[in-house]
Amino acid sequence: MTHATPAHKRILLKLSGEALMGDDSFGINRATIERMVSEIAEVTKVGVQVAVVIGGGNIFRGVAGGSVGMDRATADYMGMLATVMNALALADAMDKQGLTARVMSAIAIEQVVEPYVRPKALQYLEEGKVVVFAAGTGNPFFTTDTAAALRGAEIGAEVVLKATKVDGVYTDDPMKNPDATRYHKLAFDEAISRNLGIMDATAFALCRDQKLPIRVFSIVKPGALKRVVMGEDEGTLVYA
Ligand SMILES: Nc1ncnc2c1ncn2[C@@H]1O[C@H](COP(=O)(O)OP(=O)(O)O)[C@@H](O)[C@H]1O
Ligand SMILES: O=c1ccn([C@@H]2O[C@H](COP(=O)(O)OP(=O)(O)O)[C@@H](O)[C@H]2O)c(=O)[nH]1
């Protein structure tokens, strides 16, 4: 039997917090998280090193009402803590499915998870462990998309894979504009100048400067992650 070779050796996978909700209105949907983990397990089986940055929108949204009128930085720290909860849930689901996961946090919370230390993260990846980066960049006024760009560059990932509710980058937000059309690929400069809302400009600019491509694809579509990793045509490629 021949084994196809993956297109990438090391990937940074960005999972939006909202993707963990499944069809629920907030929180973590068990079936959804288990399905995502099984897709991650599939790609580790072909020898790909996987690091994950997880968002927090699913939990933060549930408490967002309480943050109205709150200091922005304080609300952002709440958002970062939400990503820690998601990271713990994700790592637990990974362990249950036979993967070895390590959560590393950008903010000190050492009784709960180990701190982010770059050489340690690289060591885990070499050992075939899945590293889950929690707490975003550790700084308010940033997003977990920017954390994905940052960590992706730091660990020398070949690509940032953004798994989200839509199946690629569109000319306009497809949730709001039914006439929007999907790009097969586009340059970072175009994504930034057109102000495409799929990712924030900080994340795009960092990836552009580091020549780190991003592929946006659907988290909902079964098998999409494996297809992306095997180099098949899926979603939208944003390139430098
Ligand atoms: N040009 C665009 N192409 C694709 N999606 C877009 C675009 N502009 C805005 N979006 C929105 O961006 C969202 C994806 O970003 P993501 O970070 O996963 O979501 P969230 O920030 O809600 O967790 C999609 O749900 C989509 O509605
Ligand atoms: O480096 C970071 C990453 C995240 N956040 C906060 O954490 C929240 C959750 O992250 P994000 O919205 O990126 O998650 P997602 O949309 O992917 O679920 C954000 O709204 C921010 O408030 C932050 O302050 N700094």
Side-chain angles (χ1 to χ4, degrees):
M1 196 171 113
T2 52
H3 289 275
T5 322
H8 307 290
K9 285 201 285 292
R10 180 176 288 171
I11 61 168
L12 188 297
L13 175 65
K14 160 71 208 302
L15 295 176
S16 91
E18 299 209 6
L20 291 187
M21 298 191 305
D23 293 328
D24 300 343
S25 52
F26 67 91
I28 300 167
N29 180 284
R30 195 74 218 165
T32 305
I33 201 169
E34 282 171 2
R35 188 181 60 76
M36 277 181 197
V37 167
S38 67
E39 301 225 352
I40 293 170
E42 282 292 308
V43 303
T44 62
K45 275 185 207 144
V46 292
V48 179
Q49 297 177 6
V50 182
V52 180
V53 166
I54 179 87
N58 56 319
I59 293 173
F60 192 59
R61 228 171 151 214
V63 296
S67 70
V68 174
M70 197 183 262
D71 184 55
R72 165 74 193 266
T74 304
D76 280 348
Y77 280 114
M78 289 171 68
M80 286 184 256
L81 291 175
T83 73
V84 177
M85 289 197 233
N86 281 335
L88 290 172
L90 190 64
D92 180 80
M94 285 177 179
D95 285 333
K96 299 258 156 49
Q97 290 197 33
L99 292 169
T100 306
R102 292 286 182 266
V103 180
M104 299 187 124
S105 172
I107 50 179
I109 177 171
E110 64 199 44
Q111 280 83 0
V112 186
V113 285
E114 65 181 296
Y116 169 65
V117 177
R118 180 174 173 267
K120 200 78 191 278
L122 293 172
Q123 181 198 320
Y124 287 149
L125 290 169
E126 295 289 348
E127 291 167 353
K129 298 184 172 93
V130 179
V131 181
V132 182
F133 295 122
T137 65
N139 300 292
F141 307 106
F142 286 91
T143 63
T144 50
D145 281 345
T146 300
L150 175 67
R151 295 291 185 244
E154 283 190 82
I155 65 165
E158 290 156 21
V159 64
V160 170
L161 302 180
K162 180 177 162 83
T164 183
K165 288 166 285 185
V166 292
D167 62 352
V169 182
Y170 282 73
T171 49
D172 192 9
D173 187 344
M175 301 281 198
K176 294 179 187 145
N177 180 358
D179 297 328
T181 55
R182 185 163 63 86
Y183 291 97
H184 183 246
K185 60 180 192 169
L186 84 161
F188 281 115
D189 283 335
E190 189 177 349
I192 295 168
S193 67
R194 286 183 183 262
N195 232 340
L196 298 174
I198 182 82
M199 268 176 122
D200 57 280
T202 313
F204 275 139
L206 186 53
C207 284
R208 178 191 60 191
D209 296 350
Q210 298 308 315
K211 301 198 171 10
L212 175 60
I214 302 173
R215 189 172 282 278
V216 178
F217 68 101
S218 168
I219 191 85
V220 189
K221 190 172 162 189
L225 175 62
K226 177 85 178 282
R227 285 172 51 78
V228 167
V229 164
M230 298 314 288
E232 289 170 40
D233 192 21
E234 192 67 54
T236 300
L237 179 71
V238 194
Y239 60 91

